[in-house]
Amino acid sequence: MSSIYRQANFLRLFFAQMISMAGDTLTEIGLAVFSLQLSHHSALAFGTVLALGMLPNVLLGWVVAGVADRWNRRRVMIGGDLLRAGLVLSIPWVGSLSWAYVTVFLVQAINLFYRPANRAVLPETVPPDKLTQANSAMETASNILGIAGYGLASALVLTVGVRDMFIIDSVSFVISGLLIARIDLPRSVWQPIATAGQNFWQSIGQGIRYYRAHPVLSHLLAITALGIFGVYSIEVLAAVMLYHIHRPTGYYGFLMGAMAVGMVLAGVWMERFGDRRRPPFWITQGFLWMGLAIIAFAFTASWPLMVAEFVVLGAGNIFYLIPMRSWIQAITPLDMRGRVFAVRSFGIGLAAMLSLEGGAVLAEAWALRPVLLLAGVITLTASGYAWWQSRVPATVERPATPLS
């Protein structure tokens, strides 16, 4: 067994994330079906639900950048789990689509504070040479759970309805918080650092200056934002496509499950072979595969082919995501990771929100095919950008230094 699975702190963080994500798959499908049923399969209505999940990144991203390294990371993560548990549990009891919209916004706002803390802590739970393997293991396991979760979610939708999905997700957040409370790392990992004497705006400014001082981070953010702008619209367009080929709404979960299968296969590959090539190679391949899958999807009317294309889409996602995240973690010191990931969340959230709403609006105004083709071309452009970045000397992959 790989040495990362003998690291007790990694295992606690690992299982906390896995249990929480397993519950999240049920809520994701529940919200999709909930909104599509009430809106009579409107692309715009579904796109609005998904875009609301990205809105906190745009409105609050700079707030997170200013406080990410000023708060105790353990308290942020445990508090975030408990707050999300209560919010998700409230959805079936209130029973209103409007409240579901509000809850999506609030849960994603909490995620915005939670993710930088989580990603700052992960590198401290494994040896430095095992970081890519740890990220791969996280993604692979989460997507294995995703396959089961999406399948279970679709089965529940077609049998008993959506209420149970929200309850299970709420319980998963509580369990995650309990596991994080048991992680045993030095106090310095959790405590606020590198912000003494700085006010809120100075912390934000230092995060932005850090990007300017390390151009590779700016390039990685630009590549990701461009790719996300192309890819994310597929979440809206796929749901609408199901309606056009006369498949039940619950089949959306099977498409997400197919994507998870691709992510698992690619995750296993990356865990074994990811370190054999430089990150830019994998990032280029990831966006290339996703762009081609989206273009193929535009010409597909067959359900089996649609499933196969989502497997490829999931594999491409992992090929770019794991090397990207590991690269950023490796070149960013602990005292800057929170702000670096917070700034990324703002840029990615803006790109995703524009993609979701833009795709929905264009799908209402145009036929689906030209919108899908446009999304595919944008994604391929991100692949070209990543290929150009592959010419950057390998020295940029060394750990960066903090700003003085």
Side-chain angles (χ1 to χ4, degrees):
M1 181 178 291
S2 173
S3 62
I4 62 170
Y5 297 108
R6 293 196 292 269
Q7 305 289 328
N9 290 318
F10 171 77
L11 286 177
R12 290 173 185 135
L13 188 64
F14 176 87
F15 282 114
Q17 182 168 321
M18 295 310 103
I19 291 169
S20 175
M21 291 186 71
D24 283 348
T25 59
L26 303 184
T27 293
E28 179 183 345
I29 301 304
L31 283 170
V33 173
F34 194 37
S35 62
L36 286 167
Q37 288 177 343
L38 293 183
S39 65
H40 305 289
H41 298 87
S42 166
L44 187 58
F46 183 41
T48 299
V49 172
L50 297 176
L52 279 171
M54 299 298 162
L55 187 59
N57 293 64
V58 178
L59 297 182
L60 303 176
W62 296 112
V63 176
V64 178
V67 303
D69 294 306
R70 300 170 69 90
W71 292 351
N72 182 288
R73 293 185 176 98
R74 192 196 299 270
R75 293 173 185 170
V76 167
M77 294 169 71
I78 295 174
D81 278 330
L82 297 180
L83 286 172
R84 289 181 296 178
L87 286 167
V88 168
L89 187 62
S90 73
I91 295 175
W93 300 109
V94 175
S96 162
L97 184 57
S98 298
W99 175 246
Y101 288 164
V102 173
T103 302
V104 167
F105 177 86
L106 293 175
V107 168
Q108 293 304 318
I110 294 169
N111 286 345
L112 203 58
F113 292 86
Y114 186 98
R115 283 193 298 266
N118 180 287
R119 290 170 186 171
V121 169
L122 173 61
E124 308 306 314
T125 66
V126 295
D129 63 337
K130 297 296 182 183
L131 183 55
T132 295
Q133 187 180 11
N135 277 310
S136 297
M138 284 279 197
E139 291 296 331
T140 300
S142 69
N143 289 303
I144 290 173
L145 288 172
I147 296 170
Y150 287 127
L152 176 61
S154 294
L156 288 174
V157 166
L158 297 171
T159 54
V160 301
V162 301
R163 176 182 291 255
D164 290 346
M165 303 181 190
F166 299 116
I167 296 173
I168 294 171
D169 192 17
S170 178
V171 173
S172 75
F173 281 128
V174 174
I175 297 173
S176 172
L178 292 174
L179 286 169
I180 290 168
R182 296 197 59 202
I183 295 176
D184 183 21
L185 287 172
R187 186 175 180 181
S188 61
V189 173
W190 303 105
Q191 290 295 94
I193 52 179
T195 56
Q198 293 182 334
N199 60 35
F200 173 82
W201 295 109
Q202 287 173 330
S203 293
I204 293 177
Q206 188 177 38
I208 295 172
R209 290 197 306 275
Y210 193 82
Y211 268 84
R212 291 176 178 172
H214 300 88
V216 66
L217 291 175
S218 299
H219 284 299
L220 293 178
L221 175 56
I223 291 167
T224 308
L226 182 60
I228 290 297
F229 183 63
V231 169
Y232 255 67
S233 61
I234 197 70
E235 294 194 29
V236 177
L237 303 176
V240 178
M241 180 74 85
L242 286 174
Y243 179 71
H244 284 286
I245 66 171
H246 309 293
R247 294 283 176 172
T249 306
Y251 275 45
Y252 181 75
F254 294 131
L255 284 180
M256 296 299 102
M259 186 183 296
V261 169
M263 295 170 89
V264 168
L265 296 175
V268 171
W269 180 271
M270 291 300 297
E271 189 171 352
R272 295 188 63 184
F273 305 112
D275 290 330
R276 297 188 181 184
R277 302 296 295 265
R278 293 180 57 216
F281 169 83
W282 295 114
I283 296 167
T284 300
Q285 294 296 311
F287 285 117
L288 176 64
W289 284 38
M290 288 192 288
L292 294 176
I294 294 171
I295 290 173
F297 187 72
F299 297 96
T300 300
S302 163
W303 170 249
L305 283 177
M306 192 179 292
V307 171
E309 286 153 4
F310 268 74
V311 172
V312 174
L313 197 64
N317 183 63
I318 290 300
F319 281 148
Y320 105 81
L321 179 62
I322 290 175
M324 179 84 74
R325 185 177 299 165
S326 298
W327 194 358
I328 294 168
Q329 288 170 333
I331 66 176
T332 307
L334 175 62
D335 62 342
M336 290 300 303
R337 282 183 200 144
R339 278 164 284 182
V340 164
F341 278 109
V343 172
R344 277 184 61 82
S345 292
F346 172 82
I348 293 170
L350 179 60
M353 189 178 70
L354 291 174
S355 178
L356 291 166
E357 277 298 287
V361 170
L362 291 177
E364 295 278 347
W366 301 352
L368 280 176
R369 181 172 293 175
V371 183
L372 286 165
L373 290 174
L374 177 61
V377 169
I378 292 171
T379 307
L380 290 176
T381 303
S383 176
Y385 188 177
W387 172 81
W388 173 79
Q389 182 65 14
S390 68
R391 300 179 301 169
V392 172
T395 52
V396 300
E397 296 168 30
R398 295 197 303 245
T401 54
L403 293 174
S404 58

